[in-house]
Every structure is written in C-alpha cells, then in structure tokens.
Amino acid sequence: MKFSYAHKIFSVILSFLVLFSTLSLTIEKHFCGDTLVDVAIFTKTDKCADDIVKHDDSSASIIKMSCCKDEIDVIDGLSETTLNSFEDLDLIHQQVLIAYSYSYINLFEGLPNLVIPHADYLPPTLVKDIHLLDEVYLI
C-alpha cells in the first residue's frame, strides 16, 4: 500500500521536473530611474508617461531623453531532447540489456489454477433457526 503511494508521488514529481526543465520564460522589468515600476512574465510591461516620444509638425522630430529603462531576462529551458535507440548502444551493452531483461521477465511465474472442490456446492436452505430452537447461545 505504501509502495503505491510512493510510486504515484515519485511519478508526479518526475513529470513536473520534465515540465519545468523544458519550460522557457521571458521576464520583462521596467525601471524608472532606479525604481522598479512593472514586472511582466507573459505580457509586455506598462510604460511610463515619460517614455512617450513627442513629435512636432515639422520634419525634424524632438525626442525627449528618458530616464526609464527596460530589462529583459530570458530563462531558456531544455531545447533539445535526445532519444537514444537500441541500435545506438555498443554491442556489449546490448547483450547485457537483453540478458537482464530476459532474466527479469523469467523471475515471475504464472500462478497455477487453483482447484476449488466446493465451488458448485450450494448449501441447503434454512427453514428455521436451529440455535433458537435448541436454545444454544454462544457466550
């Protein structure tokens, strides 16, 4: 009973490990001066009002220098998963694997068919309760 719970917990932990090892994240941070204003994981960060670029009607545009900056942190997950086949192993490793699997499979023998001699026997139908008639009580 404990083995089945431990097996299930271990399976869930391993599945989360595979999920999070292949997950990639991009974290965007927006700073105004030295103050952190916004952090976004799956969306774009909100910009300050100082970041808006102002344009004149003339051909030359006036760009206001901003004290705000953006930082982008990229957390790369595992991008390549390698799948090895049986043919990729050396000859000695193939032989050891075949011998081990053959010996492991032959450890388990099938259970013999149990013969139950009274499987088709039906007990007689009780008409009266014999214990009450004979006044026999278990103490």
Side-chain angles (χ1 to χ4, degrees):
M1 192 73 171
K2 291 180 183 178
F3 178 72
S4 64
Y5 289 128
H7 186 266
K8 289 178 184 177
I9 290 171
F10 190 66
S11 299
V12 168
I13 289 171
L14 284 179
S15 64
F16 278 119
L17 179 68
V18 169
L19 175 70
F20 289 124
S21 67
T22 58
L23 186 70
S24 297
L25 288 176
T26 303
I27 301 172
E28 292 188 32
K29 298 175 187 174
H30 183 74
F31 291 94
C32 283
D34 291 332
T35 307
L36 179 64
V37 175
D38 191 21
V39 175
I41 296 177
F42 296 111
T43 60
K44 296 283 185 184
T45 56
D46 294 332
K47 306 295 181 192
C48 298
D50 294 341
D51 287 346
I52 299 173
V53 178
K54 297 180 181 180
H55 296 284
D56 280 343
D57 293 337
S58 64
S59 62
S61 63
I62 301 172
I63 298 174
K64 183 179 179 183
M65 294 302 292
S66 175
C67 63
C68 297
K69 63 179 179 178
D70 290 328
E71 285 185 10
I72 299 174
D73 296 330
V74 178
I75 301 172
D76 288 331
L78 183 65
S79 60
E80 296 179 11
T81 55
T82 57
L83 297 175
N84 294 332
S85 66
F86 185 72
E87 288 80 21
D88 293 340
L89 297 174
D90 296 336
L91 181 63
I92 188 70
H93 291 121
Q94 289 178 359
Q95 290 174 351
V96 167
L97 185 64
I98 289 171
Y100 179 75
S101 60
Y102 179 75
S103 64
Y104 185 76
I105 289 172
N106 287 333
L107 282 176
F108 305 108
E109 295 179 7
L111 294 175
N113 292 335
L114 297 176
V115 177
I116 303 173
H118 57 279
D120 297 327
Y121 173 74
L122 295 174
T125 308
L126 296 177
V127 179
K128 296 180 181 177
D129 194 2
I130 302 296
H131 296 288
L132 289 178
L133 288 176
D134 293 338
E135 294 184 3
V136 176
Y137 302 107
L138 297 174
I139 297 176

